[in-house]
Amino acid sequence: MCAPDYFSVDHNINPWMAGNTGQLDMGRAMRQWENLKQELSKTADIELMEPQPDLPDIVFTANAGFVLGNRAVASHFMPDERRAEEPYLKQWFRDQGFELCELPDDVGFEGAGDCLLDRNGPWLWAGYGFRTEIEAHPYLEKWFDRELVSIHLTDSRFYHIDTAFCPLTDGYLLYHPPAFDYESRLAIEKRVPSEKRIVVDTEDAGNFACNAVNVGKDIFVHKASRPLKSRIQKRGFRVHELDLSEFLKSGGSAKCLTLRLTEPGGA
Ligand code: ARG
């Protein structure tokens, strides 16, 4: 995780940011982030990245890159506004001892925001359409030696796959089907049996219910409606709601604020 010391919404690179320029309550953002860190530290060890001036979105560490085993692929951001993060993030991965893979300069890829490990099957789910280009997918498949399922994102509000799709322990899945095209929905249904698919409606998806951090049977989210919570709990999970309203103004929530560094396996 990376503290929101320099977090701001003074630019506009996704539909959630529009209209929120200058609307941040920084004190509240800091308290919400501290609370998330505190809650996650009960089930996970937290590694902190030093925040950097002039890099307001670096707080969303899911976009730093994608990690599997001891290998990391650095992000190459689509919006110019986030490109300045790249040298810092690459150095950070190297300093942590990861073997760093770098994409060609003309291929966009936004890390774990658009690449998720299935928690049951031996494949990766990777989004494309807004902030990652499909041209990045074959590189990921090769570097991680895993089947990759390409998911086409079609609704700009769900511009990273992790805003509408969250693989859970034992092969369960939280997802918002309208965020994906028809073929992608078929690909999902083929791999995840219906009893394991937890469909998230527009209202819950708008509250970033799919942008969840899942550790074992614990699920951390900004907000989930009562019916959604009960459907998740029926599958044996515990739901923890944590107010992250200030980060929603930037189009991010719990999962975007974290990057999982200890994914098992890999090439
Ligand atoms: N404001 C950030 C951006 O648009 C939010 C990133 C959210 N990250 C995510 N993994 N969905 O880049």
Side-chain angles (χ1 to χ4, degrees):
M1 298 178 74
C2 179
D5 296 25
Y6 304 102
F7 178 46
S8 73
V9 185
D10 297 332
H11 51 305
N12 182 0
I13 53 174
N14 70 54
W16 305 92
M17 298 173 91
N20 275 320
T21 310
Q23 299 299 308
L24 269 194
D25 180 331
M26 275 304 285
R28 188 180 288 169
M30 197 53 92
R31 289 192 297 278
Q32 292 177 343
W33 183 87
E34 285 291 346
N35 186 42
L36 174 67
K37 186 179 93 174
Q38 178 68 28
E39 290 303 308
L40 292 179
S41 68
K42 294 176 185 168
T43 55
D45 296 326
I46 312 287
E47 190 85 38
L48 293 178
M49 185 188 274
E50 203 50 49
Q52 300 297 310
D54 302 320
L55 300 179
D57 279 323
I58 202 164
V59 64
F60 298 109
T61 49
N63 301 123
F66 177 73
V67 174
L68 190 54
N70 66 348
R71 205 168 251 195
V73 179
S75 288
H76 181 46
F77 291 94
M78 296 288 279
D80 284 347
E81 287 86 342
R82 293 198 67 176
R83 293 241 165 118
E85 294 176 37
E86 292 177 18
Y88 177 78
L89 294 171
K90 284 181 188 170
Q91 195 52 50
W92 189 88
F93 281 118
R94 286 195 201 98
D95 292 347
Q96 303 296 310
F98 287 103
E99 181 198 341
L100 191 68
C101 302
E102 296 189 45
L103 289 157
D105 231 20
D106 58 350
V107 178
F109 170 63
E110 298 201 357
D114 266 328
C115 189
L116 303 167
L117 189 69
D118 195 82
R119 302 264 158 232
N120 199 35
W123 59 80
L124 300 170
W125 302 96
Y128 71 98
F130 295 104
R131 303 281 285 269
T132 289
E133 292 173 297
I134 196 166
E135 286 77 7
H137 291 183
Y139 289 95
L140 300 170
E141 192 156 43
K142 186 178 83 193
W143 287 331
F144 294 110
D145 195 21
R146 292 232 171 170
E147 186 192 356
L148 180 147
V149 187
S150 293
I151 299 294
H152 192 183
L153 311 179
T154 52
D155 180 332
S156 63
R157 293 171 301 174
F158 305 107
Y159 58 97
H160 284 135
I161 192 172
D162 73 354
T163 60
F165 190 98
C166 182
L168 302 173
T169 302
D170 293 333
Y172 287 95
L173 174 69
L174 265 180
Y175 80 130
H176 179 56
F180 315 114
D181 75 0
Y182 178 70
E183 298 282 320
S184 303
R185 292 203 296 267
L186 287 183
I188 295 165
E189 288 164 15
K190 204 175 113 195
R191 283 177 175 76
V192 185
S194 64
E195 70 274 12
K196 295 226 160 176
R197 298 196 299 262
I198 306 172
V199 170
V200 174
D201 70 15
T202 308
E203 192 180 332
D204 274 312
N207 281 322
F208 280 72
C210 299
N211 197 247
V213 178
N214 172 218
V215 185
K217 287 287 179 184
D218 290 297
I219 296 181
F220 302 87
V221 280
H222 165 66
K223 204 184 271 182
S225 65
R226 203 181 300 172
L228 177 60
K229 268 189 289 198
S230 98
R231 282 190 293 129
I232 298 174
Q233 285 157 351
K234 262 192 214 132
R235 269 83 168 193
F237 291 95
R238 289 175 290 268
V239 181
H240 309 271
E241 286 176 289
L242 309 165
D243 188 1
L244 292 165
S245 61
E246 299 315 294
F247 300 95
L248 263 69
K249 294 175 182 172
S250 187
S253 186
K255 158 69 171 59
C256 307
L257 292 167
T258 67
L259 175 65
R260 200 158 176 147
L261 294 175
T262 52
E263 296 288 18

